[in-house]
Amino acid sequence: MQDIERHIIASTATVKMAIEGLDRLSGDTMTLIVTDATHRPVGTVTDGDVRRALIRGVGLDGNVGEVMNRSFRSVNVSRVDVTFIRDMRAAGIGLLPVIDDSGRLVKIVDLHKVHSLLPLSALIMAGGKGERLRPMTLTTPKPLLPIEGKAIIDYNVEALAAVGVDEVVVSTAYLAEQLDEHFAKPVAGIKVQTIREETPRGTIGALADALPMLSNDTILVMNSDLLTDIQLDEMYIRHSQEEADITVAAIPYTVSVPYAILSTEGSRITSLQEKPTYSLYANGGIYMISKAAAAMVPSDRRYDATDLIDDALARGLKVVYFPINGTWIDVGTPADFRHAADIMKYHGRKSK
């Protein structure tokens, strides 16, 4: 999010004051939000707006209202339209005012830094022992293993922050004290809460305990040992448009059979396919779940994400998938760890 005051100018200000305000934003998104006496946004000002006004003959002592663009767009904090935000970002909009139901400015989102404002709460599952990564995990929980100088789990917290998610709970068990200490300070501006599994609860059982801590109607649950560039805003749009109870992130998976496969009817062969390839989808360990579906998770026994999906299907709930088109690494083995390090090293060079 933004330092909101730097980008606000009063509607009573002069053109000169607007120029000075823009100058102070050098190196940042150079846009000012003009607000009236009741803190309601009434326009925006950029360098281009000022130049065009000066060409028209507006003086430095003129009112900022003679400069500002009144055709600005905003988003309501209680009715976030994720598709609208995506379209604004694609159109090159820099700052997006966020207003409350009375039209007053609540915050300002810099769409160059925060891609969306997803109305999600998140639960990151971080209780596993990481036994396949021993000896690295003998004294360090897998989510805190560093890749390119950053804990694995922090990549996921940063990805959540980048789409406007600021309510994050981490479920811990193995070496839980280290995770508690790690999240004693905010990560990516988020004050992460931790909740401990006293007994093994499966891949989603902790959701029952975390549910009272999660305020949004849709909950993102993900494994802590994933490195992925999944487009969470697009996944949320699909979840909403489908009116799904559960959306499962899916990994494309290809199976090649090295033999000729027979199609049969009874004892007869009806066709033969030489060395076919089948395109399938595998569970990617990332879920968007309605609160109603999340409430199905029992609090008194082990329960896996596959159990929740099976139970949801048995009750006639709508379960859909969202294909991941990009990087997805489950850091489960030393080979996976080395591969993840190579990938993040490349991403680090790209971002510079």
Side-chain angles (χ1 to χ4, degrees), residues 2-22:
Q2 273 306 104
D3 176 3
I4 188 170
E5 298 300 328
R6 297 180 65 232
H7 288 273
I8 295 177
I9 188 168
S11 58
T12 56
T14 65
V15 173
K16 181 181 179 182
M17 293 167 68
I19 294 173
E20 291 170 344
L22 289 168

Side-chain angles (χ1 to χ4, degrees), residues 245-246 293 296 307-319:
D245 295 288
I246 302 174
M296 295 166 53
D307 296 324
L308 176 60
I309 293 169
D310 286 341
D311 289 347
L313 292 171
R315 296 189 189 190
L317 301 186
K318 189 172 185 180
V319 181

Side-chain angles (χ1 to χ4, degrees), residues 4 59 172 263:
I4 188 170
T172 67
S263 296

Side-chain angles (χ1 to χ4, degrees), residues 254-262 272-278:
T254 301
V255 177
S256 297
V257 180
Y259 308 107
I261 298 300
L262 309 181
L272 185 147
Q273 189 175 4
E274 184 70 30
K275 297 180 180 179
T277 297
Y278 300 99

Side-chain angles (χ1 to χ4, degrees), residues 127-139:
K129 293 183 178 180
E131 292 177 338
R132 291 180 296 165
L133 278 171
R134 288 181 177 177
M136 288 189 289
T137 54
L138 287 174
T139 57

Side-chain angles (χ1 to χ4, degrees), residues 304-339:
D304 291 328
T306 51
D307 296 324
L308 176 60
I309 293 169
D310 286 341
D311 289 347
L313 292 171
R315 296 189 189 190
L317 301 186
K318 189 172 185 180
V319 181
V320 304
Y321 73 93
F322 175 80
I324 297 176
N325 182 21
T327 301
W328 181 90
I329 305 172
D330 177 3
V331 187
T333 66
D336 296 328
F337 188 87
R338 290 190 296 270
H339 179 51

Side-chain angles (χ1 to χ4, degrees), residues 122-126 153 156-157 160 168-171 220 222-224:
L123 172 63
I124 302 178
M125 307 297 292
I153 196 170
N156 293 316
V157 176
L160 292 170
V168 179
V169 174
V170 172
S171 173
L220 174 78
M222 69 182 300
N223 297 334
S224 63

